[in-house]
Amino acid sequence: MLNLNNPEKSAFSDPISLNVGGQVYTTTLGTLTKFQDSMLGAMFKGELPLLKDDKGNYFIDRDGKIFRHILNYLRSSCLDLPIGFTEMPLLKREADFYQIRPLLDEIGQQEAQDVAGACSRSAVLSVDVNCQDRVLHFNWKRAPENYELFTCSVRLLTANVFCTSCAVVELLCRAFTYWTSGGAVSPLPLEGEPCYLRLEWTPRPPELTQEQYNKHRYRQLRAPCGREILDCRGLVEEMLKVALAHGFRVDSIFPDHSDILNSSSLRFVRYCTN
Protein backbone atom coordinates (compact mmCIF):
# COMPACT_ATOMS: atom_id res chain seq x y z
CA MET A 1 0.00 0.00 0.00
CA LEU A 2 1.28 3.48 -0.91
CA ASN A 3 0.68 6.60 1.15
CA LEU A 4 0.80 10.09 -0.38
CA ASN A 5 2.10 13.02 1.64
CA ASN A 6 3.73 16.39 1.10
CA PRO A 7 6.41 16.62 3.80
CA GLU A 8 8.32 19.71 4.88
CA LYS A 9 12.06 19.67 4.18
CA SER A 10 12.69 19.41 7.93
CA ALA A 11 10.84 16.08 7.90
CA PHE A 12 13.69 14.39 5.98
CA SER A 13 16.56 12.86 7.93
CA ASP A 14 19.54 10.79 6.87
CA PRO A 15 19.77 8.10 5.73
CA ILE A 16 16.92 8.20 3.21
CA SER A 17 15.59 4.99 1.65
CA LEU A 18 14.07 5.04 -1.83
CA ASN A 19 11.99 2.36 -3.51
CA VAL A 20 12.47 3.01 -7.22
CA GLY A 21 10.39 0.64 -9.32
CA GLY A 22 10.76 -2.10 -6.71
CA GLN A 23 14.49 -1.67 -6.03
CA VAL A 24 15.51 -0.08 -2.74
CA TYR A 25 18.39 2.40 -2.49
CA THR A 26 19.77 4.19 0.57
CA THR A 27 21.41 7.62 0.32
CA THR A 28 21.50 11.06 1.93
CA LEU A 29 19.41 14.19 1.62
CA GLY A 30 22.47 16.08 0.38
CA THR A 31 22.94 13.63 -2.49
CA LEU A 32 19.29 13.77 -3.58
CA THR A 33 19.19 17.58 -3.49
CA LYS A 34 22.61 18.10 -5.09
CA PHE A 35 20.94 19.72 -8.08
CA GLN A 36 18.33 22.01 -6.53
CA ASP A 37 16.40 22.57 -9.76
CA SER A 38 16.04 18.86 -10.56
CA MET A 39 12.94 16.74 -9.97
CA LEU A 40 14.66 14.96 -7.08
CA GLY A 41 15.69 18.32 -5.64
CA ALA A 42 12.08 19.47 -5.68
CA MET A 43 10.86 16.19 -4.18
CA PHE A 44 13.21 16.28 -1.24
CA LYS A 45 12.89 19.99 -0.55
CA GLY A 46 9.22 19.34 0.21
CA GLU A 47 7.97 21.04 -2.96
CA LEU A 48 6.31 17.94 -4.44
CA PRO A 49 4.11 15.26 -2.85
CA LEU A 50 5.81 11.94 -2.18
CA LEU A 51 4.59 8.39 -1.93
CA LYS A 52 5.72 5.91 0.72
CA ASP A 53 5.49 2.14 0.48
CA ASP A 54 4.34 -0.09 3.34
CA LYS A 55 7.90 -0.25 4.69
CA GLY A 56 8.30 3.51 4.89
CA ASN A 57 10.53 3.89 1.82
CA TYR A 58 9.88 6.86 -0.45
CA PHE A 59 8.45 5.41 -3.66
CA ILE A 60 9.22 6.59 -7.20
CA ASP A 61 7.52 4.75 -10.05
CA ARG A 62 10.46 4.72 -12.47
CA ASP A 63 13.02 2.19 -13.74
CA GLY A 64 14.76 0.80 -10.66
CA LYS A 65 17.72 -0.78 -12.39
CA ILE A 66 18.77 2.35 -14.28
CA PHE A 67 18.41 4.52 -11.14
CA ARG A 68 21.71 3.06 -9.97
CA HIS A 69 23.51 5.19 -12.56
CA ILE A 70 21.43 8.27 -11.69
CA LEU A 71 22.35 7.92 -8.02
CA ASN A 72 26.03 7.29 -8.72
CA TYR A 73 26.15 10.46 -10.80
CA LEU A 74 24.61 12.43 -7.95
CA ARG A 75 27.26 11.03 -5.61
CA SER A 76 30.33 11.62 -7.78
CA SER A 77 29.33 14.02 -10.60
CA CYS A 78 30.87 11.46 -12.99
CA LEU A 79 29.10 9.25 -15.52
CA ASP A 80 30.84 5.91 -14.94
CA LEU A 81 29.11 3.25 -17.04
CA PRO A 82 30.12 -0.42 -17.27
CA ILE A 83 31.89 -1.71 -20.38
CA GLY A 84 29.34 -2.77 -22.98
CA PHE A 85 26.54 -0.64 -21.50
CA THR A 86 23.61 -0.84 -23.95
CA GLU A 87 20.85 1.18 -22.28
CA MET A 88 21.94 4.73 -23.06
CA PRO A 89 18.52 5.71 -24.55
CA LEU A 90 16.81 4.52 -21.36
CA LEU A 91 19.35 6.31 -19.14
CA LYS A 92 18.80 9.49 -21.16
CA ARG A 93 15.04 9.17 -20.74
CA GLU A 94 15.37 8.74 -16.98
CA ALA A 95 17.84 11.65 -16.67
CA ASP A 96 15.31 13.77 -18.57
CA PHE A 97 12.52 12.72 -16.19
CA TYR A 98 14.59 13.69 -13.16
CA GLN A 99 15.65 16.89 -14.99
CA ILE A 100 19.34 16.57 -14.10
CA ARG A 101 20.76 18.94 -16.73
CA PRO A 102 24.50 18.28 -16.15
CA LEU A 103 23.87 14.53 -16.52
CA LEU A 104 21.95 15.10 -19.77
CA ASP A 105 24.87 17.16 -21.08
CA GLU A 106 27.33 14.39 -20.20
CA ILE A 107 25.12 11.77 -21.83
CA GLY A 108 25.10 13.91 -24.98
CA GLN A 109 28.90 14.02 -24.96
CA GLN A 110 29.04 10.24 -24.46
CA GLU A 111 26.68 9.69 -27.39
CA ALA A 112 28.90 11.86 -29.60
CA GLN A 113 31.94 9.82 -28.57
CA ASP A 114 30.08 6.58 -29.29
CA VAL A 115 29.18 7.81 -32.79
CA ALA A 116 32.80 8.75 -33.42
CA GLY A 117 33.96 5.36 -32.19
CA ALA A 118 31.34 3.56 -34.25
CA CYS A 119 32.68 5.30 -37.36
CA SER A 120 36.27 4.27 -36.75
CA ARG A 121 35.99 0.48 -36.72
CA SER A 122 35.40 -2.20 -39.33
CA ALA A 123 31.95 -3.74 -39.12
CA VAL A 124 29.28 -5.78 -40.91
CA LEU A 125 25.67 -4.60 -40.90
CA SER A 126 22.71 -6.66 -42.12
CA VAL A 127 19.09 -5.59 -42.51
CA ASP A 128 16.16 -7.91 -43.29
CA VAL A 129 12.70 -6.45 -43.82
CA ASN A 130 9.31 -8.13 -44.01
CA CYS A 131 5.68 -7.09 -44.53
CA GLN A 132 2.54 -9.04 -43.60
CA ASP A 133 -1.01 -7.96 -44.35
CA ARG A 134 -3.66 -8.56 -41.72
CA VAL A 135 -7.41 -8.06 -41.97
CA LEU A 136 -9.11 -6.56 -38.90
CA HIS A 137 -12.76 -7.05 -38.07
CA PHE A 138 -14.28 -4.84 -35.38
CA ASN A 139 -17.53 -3.19 -34.35
CA TRP A 140 -17.78 0.49 -35.18
CA LYS A 141 -20.22 2.60 -33.18
CA ARG A 142 -21.98 4.96 -35.59
CA ALA A 143 -24.54 6.16 -33.05
CA PRO A 144 -26.01 5.05 -29.71
CA GLU A 145 -27.34 1.53 -30.09
CA ASN A 146 -26.05 1.49 -33.69
CA TYR A 147 -23.02 -0.72 -34.34
CA GLU A 148 -21.68 -1.91 -37.67
CA LEU A 149 -19.13 -4.61 -38.45
CA PHE A 150 -16.13 -2.93 -40.04
CA THR A 151 -13.26 -4.54 -41.97
CA CYS A 152 -9.86 -3.00 -42.53
CA SER A 153 -6.49 -4.20 -43.82
CA VAL A 154 -3.29 -3.20 -42.02
CA ARG A 155 0.38 -3.80 -42.79
CA LEU A 156 2.58 -5.30 -40.08
CA LEU A 157 6.16 -4.29 -40.90
CA THR A 158 9.32 -5.66 -39.33
CA ALA A 159 13.04 -5.09 -39.76
CA ASN A 160 15.67 -7.34 -38.18
CA VAL A 161 19.00 -5.56 -37.85
CA PHE A 162 22.35 -7.03 -36.82
CA CYS A 163 25.72 -5.32 -36.63
CA THR A 164 29.05 -6.57 -35.35
CA SER A 165 29.46 -3.12 -33.75
CA CYS A 166 27.06 -2.58 -30.83
CA ALA A 167 27.76 1.16 -31.11
CA VAL A 168 26.18 1.17 -34.59
CA VAL A 169 23.05 -0.50 -33.19
CA GLU A 170 22.88 2.18 -30.48
CA LEU A 171 23.26 4.81 -33.19
CA LEU A 172 20.30 3.31 -35.07
CA CYS A 173 18.23 3.29 -31.86
CA ARG A 174 18.81 7.01 -31.55
CA ALA A 175 18.12 7.62 -35.25
CA PHE A 176 14.65 6.02 -35.41
CA THR A 177 11.63 6.81 -33.25
CA TYR A 178 8.40 4.98 -32.44
CA TRP A 179 5.26 7.08 -32.13
CA THR A 180 2.61 5.55 -29.87
CA SER A 181 -0.52 6.73 -28.08
CA GLY A 182 1.77 7.59 -25.17
CA GLY A 183 4.19 9.70 -27.22
CA ALA A 184 7.62 9.24 -28.79
CA VAL A 185 9.76 6.25 -27.73
CA SER A 186 13.23 5.22 -28.87
CA PRO A 187 13.73 1.60 -29.99
CA LEU A 188 16.02 -0.55 -27.85
CA PRO A 189 18.34 -3.45 -28.75
CA LEU A 190 17.06 -6.92 -27.93
CA GLU A 191 17.45 -7.67 -24.23
CA GLY A 192 20.80 -9.33 -23.64
CA GLU A 193 21.70 -8.99 -27.34
CA PRO A 194 23.18 -5.49 -27.81
CA CYS A 195 24.13 -6.20 -31.45
CA TYR A 196 20.54 -7.01 -32.47
CA LEU A 197 17.66 -4.61 -33.10
CA ARG A 198 14.13 -5.54 -34.13
CA LEU A 199 11.86 -2.80 -35.43
CA GLU A 200 8.10 -3.49 -35.54
CA TRP A 201 5.59 -0.91 -36.71
CA THR A 202 2.21 -0.51 -38.40
CA PRO A 203 1.23 2.59 -40.39
CA ARG A 204 -2.39 3.62 -39.76
CA PRO A 205 -4.55 3.31 -42.89
CA PRO A 206 -7.03 6.19 -43.38
CA GLU A 207 -10.05 3.93 -42.86
CA LEU A 208 -8.84 2.79 -39.42
CA THR A 209 -9.89 5.09 -36.61
CA GLN A 210 -7.24 6.37 -34.21
CA GLU A 211 -9.16 4.76 -31.35
CA GLN A 212 -8.98 1.31 -32.95
CA TYR A 213 -5.34 1.87 -33.92
CA ASN A 214 -4.45 2.64 -30.31
CA LYS A 215 -6.58 -0.23 -29.03
CA HIS A 216 -4.47 -2.73 -30.99
CA ARG A 217 -1.30 -1.07 -29.64
CA TYR A 218 0.03 -0.33 -33.10
CA ARG A 219 2.79 2.23 -33.47
CA GLN A 220 4.33 4.34 -36.21
CA LEU A 221 8.02 4.45 -37.06
CA ARG A 222 9.69 7.71 -37.98
CA ALA A 223 12.97 8.30 -39.77
CA PRO A 224 15.83 10.49 -38.45
CA CYS A 225 14.32 13.43 -40.38
CA GLY A 226 10.95 12.90 -38.66
CA ARG A 227 9.20 11.47 -41.72
CA GLU A 228 6.86 8.54 -41.12
CA ILE A 229 8.06 5.26 -42.67
CA LEU A 230 5.08 3.73 -44.48
CA ASP A 231 6.57 0.58 -46.01
CA CYS A 232 9.66 -1.63 -46.33
CA ARG A 233 10.96 0.48 -49.19
CA GLY A 234 10.96 3.54 -46.93
CA LEU A 235 12.90 1.68 -44.23
CA VAL A 236 15.50 0.43 -46.73
CA GLU A 237 15.94 3.98 -48.04
CA GLU A 238 16.54 5.36 -44.54
CA MET A 239 18.92 2.52 -43.61
CA LEU A 240 20.90 3.27 -46.76
CA LYS A 241 21.23 6.91 -45.77
CA VAL A 242 22.41 6.10 -42.25
CA ALA A 243 24.77 3.31 -43.31
CA LEU A 244 26.42 5.26 -46.13
CA ALA A 245 26.77 8.33 -43.91
CA HIS A 246 28.77 6.26 -41.42
CA GLY A 247 31.27 4.69 -43.78
CA PHE A 248 29.47 1.51 -44.88
CA ARG A 249 29.12 0.33 -48.45
CA VAL A 250 26.58 -2.09 -49.89
CA ASP A 251 27.97 -5.61 -50.08
CA SER A 252 24.97 -7.72 -51.13
CA ILE A 253 21.31 -7.26 -52.06
CA PHE A 254 18.51 -9.85 -52.20
CA PRO A 255 16.55 -10.72 -54.26
CA ASP A 256 17.43 -8.32 -57.11
CA HIS A 257 20.75 -6.45 -56.97
CA SER A 258 19.47 -3.94 -59.53
CA ASP A 259 16.45 -2.93 -57.41
CA ILE A 260 17.95 -1.99 -54.06
CA LEU A 261 14.99 -0.08 -52.61
CA ASN A 262 12.66 -3.05 -53.08
CA SER A 263 15.09 -5.55 -51.57
CA SER A 264 14.15 -7.72 -48.61
CA SER A 265 17.72 -8.26 -47.40
CA LEU A 266 20.74 -5.96 -47.38
CA ARG A 267 24.29 -6.46 -46.21
CA PHE A 268 26.75 -3.62 -45.62
CA VAL A 269 30.44 -3.73 -44.82
CA ARG A 270 32.90 -1.14 -43.56
CA TYR A 271 36.68 -1.56 -43.68
CA CYS A 272 38.91 0.59 -41.51
CA THR A 273 42.69 0.31 -41.66
CA ASN A 274 43.47 1.92 -38.28
Side-chain angles (χ1 to χ4, degrees):
M1 181 177 179
L2 300 176
N3 298 313
L4 180 65
N5 58 57
N6 197 355
E8 298 293 331
K9 184 176 181 180
S10 59
F12 300 112
S13 60
D14 292 334
I16 294 177
S17 293
L18 302 175
N19 177 346
V20 184
Q23 297 201 29
V24 176
Y25 295 89
T26 302
T27 186
T28 66
L29 180 62
T31 296
L32 293 171
T33 59
K34 183 171 186 176
F35 299 102
Q36 297 285 316
D37 58 349
S38 70
M39 179 75 75
L40 288 170
M43 287 177 176
F44 290 93
K45 286 189 297 181
E47 297 175 0
L48 294 174
L50 290 171
L51 289 169
K52 278 191 174 183
D53 65 16
D54 56 3
K55 294 183 179 179
N57 304 307
Y58 292 104
F59 179 78
I60 302 176
D61 188 19
R62 300 298 295 185
D63 190 285
K65 179 182 175 183
I66 214 73
F67 188 75
R68 167 195 172 195
H69 306 296
I70 301 287
L71 188 56
N72 282 339
Y73 183 81
L74 294 177
R75 289 166 171 159
S76 65
S77 295
C78 293
L79 181 59
D80 297 318
L81 299 175
I83 296 174
F85 182 73
T86 61
E87 297 182 301
M88 189 65 82
L90 180 56
L91 176 59
K92 185 176 182 179
R93 192 181 311 151
E94 294 302 290
D96 183 61
F97 170 80
Y98 294 112
Q99 283 298 290
I100 304 174
R101 303 311 308 177
L103 176 55
L104 283 167
D105 292 342
E106 193 153 344
I107 288 173
Q109 294 174 11
Q110 183 68 56
E111 287 178 335
Q113 293 173 5
D114 289 344
V115 170
C119 294
S120 64
R121 295 187 294 271
S122 299
V124 176
L125 170 65
S126 65
V127 181
D128 297 292
V129 295
N130 184 49
C131 175
Q132 291 184 342
D133 290 329
R134 175 177 294 177
V135 177
L136 295 181
H137 302 282
F138 56 90
N139 288 324
W140 185 24
K141 186 177 181 180
R142 285 189 174 273
E145 310 300 329
N146 183 2
Y147 289 85
E148 290 187 12
L149 182 62
F150 193 74
T151 300
C152 176
S153 178
V154 297
R155 285 187 164 185
L156 307 181
L157 300 164
T158 59
N160 292 307
V161 181
F162 167 77
C163 188
T164 54
S165 169
C166 297
V168 172
V169 175
E170 291 180 20
L171 183 153
L172 292 171
C173 289
R174 295 193 292 270
F176 293 92
T177 307
Y178 286 130
W179 281 77
T180 70
S181 58
V185 179
S186 296
L188 292 173
L190 294 182
E191 185 174 356
E193 299 286 352
C195 288
Y196 289 87
L197 171 65
R198 181 176 174 85
L199 300 172
E200 298 177 301
W201 74 103
T202 304
R204 183 175 73 87
E207 61 271 23
L208 182 64
T209 65
Q210 188 68 52
E211 178 184 4
Q212 285 293 328
Y213 184 84
N214 295 339
K215 181 179 179 180
H216 286 83
R217 297 183 179 179
Y218 293 142
R219 54 192 178 185
Q220 297 177 351
L221 181 67
R222 297 199 179 181
C225 63
R227 177 175 63 88
E228 182 183 359
I229 298 175
L230 299 174
D231 49 28
C232 291
R233 180 187 177 94
L235 188 281
V236 169
E237 181 179 357
E238 294 300 330
M239 280 289 182
L240 276 168
K241 292 177 183 177
V242 175
L244 295 177
H246 289 89
F248 287 89
R249 66 172 179 81
V250 177
D251 181 63
S252 65
I253 302 166
F254 180 84
D256 184 354
H257 71 276
S258 64
D259 190 10
I260 189 170
L261 291 183
N262 287 316
S263 61
S264 59
S265 182
L266 281 168
R267 185 175 185 269
F268 303 89
V269 294
R270 184 178 64 201
Y271 299 107
C272 298
T273 56
N274 54 334

